[in-house]
């Protein structure tokens, strides 16, 4: 996240500097065209407008790809998480209340909290995290990493060697 923020700051600074440079160049160009107004009057106006509009378009595009699009993605993921709640999931609300889903409705969820099993009815939009789903994802990633690496087979080979040395030591102790 820190890299994204740093990239966003650098990009915004670059866009601002570019816009300032273009504005300064267009101001000097307007001064030069006013001095030579007898040569041409229509062509410089169009290029001056283009030189002002182009940096604005570039800045809006950068803003969209750095700020708006990632936020929409997070909102979409949050909505999918809220819609996919199941009975038995452990959730956390925006206010920090932790509970287990007992019943789901159209736009509300009933959760059970605390040792006294108190039940609360909350709105779906208040749920910020599904702890159970996150644990399932972590377990799936861990399982896929175990099968991908050769560590499991190396451990088995070490276990086999350990068993063989134990058997040899047991045989020696029985002979004595």
């Amino acid at each position: 996240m820190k890299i994204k923020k740093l990239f966003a700051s650098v990009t915004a600074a670059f866009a601002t500097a570019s816009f300032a440079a273009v504005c300064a160049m267009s101001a000097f160009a307007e001064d030069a065209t006013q001095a030579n107004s007898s040569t041409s009057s229509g062509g410089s106006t169009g290029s001056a407008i283009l030189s002002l509009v182009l940096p604005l378009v570039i800045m809006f595009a950068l803003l969209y790809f750095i700020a708006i699009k990632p936020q929409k993605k997070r909102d979409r993921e949050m909505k999918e998480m809220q819609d996919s709640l199941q009975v038995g999931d452990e959730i956390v609300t925006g206010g920090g209340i932790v509970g287990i889903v007992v019943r789901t409705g159209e736009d509300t969820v009933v959760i059970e909290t605390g040792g006294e099993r108190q039940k609360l009815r909350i709105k779906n939009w208040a749920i910020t995290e599904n702890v159970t789903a996150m644990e399932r994802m972590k377990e799936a990633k861990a399982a896929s990493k175990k099968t991908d690496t050769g560590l499991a087979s190396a451990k088995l080979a070490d276990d086999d060697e350990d068993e063989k040395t134990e058997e040899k030591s047991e045989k020696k102790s029985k002979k004595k």
Side-chain angles (χ1 to χ4, degrees):
M1 290 304 266
K2 291 181 181 180
I3 294 173
K4 288 183 180 180
K5 288 181 180 180
L6 178 66
F7 179 72
S9 299
V10 169
T11 307
F14 178 73
T16 304
S18 299
F19 181 70
V22 169
C23 288
M25 285 190 284
S26 65
F28 289 124
E30 287 178 9
D31 290 341
T33 55
Q34 287 176 357
N36 297 330
S37 63
S38 61
T39 58
S40 66
S41 61
S44 64
T45 310
S47 65
I49 291 174
L50 182 64
S51 67
L52 290 175
V53 172
L54 185 63
L56 290 174
V57 170
I58 292 171
M59 284 181 20
F60 181 74
L62 288 173
L63 176 70
Y64 177 78
F65 286 111
I66 291 174
I68 297 171
K69 190 174 179 181
Q71 183 62 39
K72 283 185 178 182
K73 182 180 177 185
R74 282 190 294 271
D75 290 345
R76 184 176 58 248
E77 290 172 352
M78 183 73 74
K79 181 73 172 153
E80 288 174 4
M81 182 269 305
Q82 291 167 350
D83 290 340
S84 67
L85 287 175
Q86 299 173 353
V87 174
D89 285 348
E90 184 177 354
I91 57 111
V92 179
T93 66
I97 298 172
V98 179
I100 297 174
V101 176
V102 176
R103 186 175 63 231
T104 59
E106 187 175 318
D107 63 342
T108 60
V109 173
V110 176
I111 63 171
E112 193 174 82
T113 63
E116 295 83 32
R117 298 183 180 252
Q118 296 183 358
K119 294 182 180 176
L120 298 172
R121 187 174 70 143
I122 59 171
K123 293 284 192 177
N124 281 350
W125 56 262
I127 299 170
T128 57
E129 183 179 351
N130 186 343
V131 177
T132 308
M134 292 179 70
E135 287 175 358
R136 280 187 236 138
M137 288 174 42
K138 286 180 183 176
E139 288 174 2
K141 286 181 182 179
S144 67
K145 284 183 181 179
K146 284 182 182 178
T147 58
D148 290 345
T149 62
L151 294 178
S153 60
K155 184 177 179 184
L156 291 175
D158 288 341
D159 291 342
D160 291 341
E161 290 176 11
D162 291 340
E163 289 174 9
K164 289 177 184 177
T165 55
E166 287 176 12
E167 289 174 5
K168 288 179 183 177
S169 64
E170 286 177 10
K171 287 179 184 178
K172 288 180 183 179
S173 65
K174 287 181 182 178
K175 288 180 182 179
K176 292 182 182 182

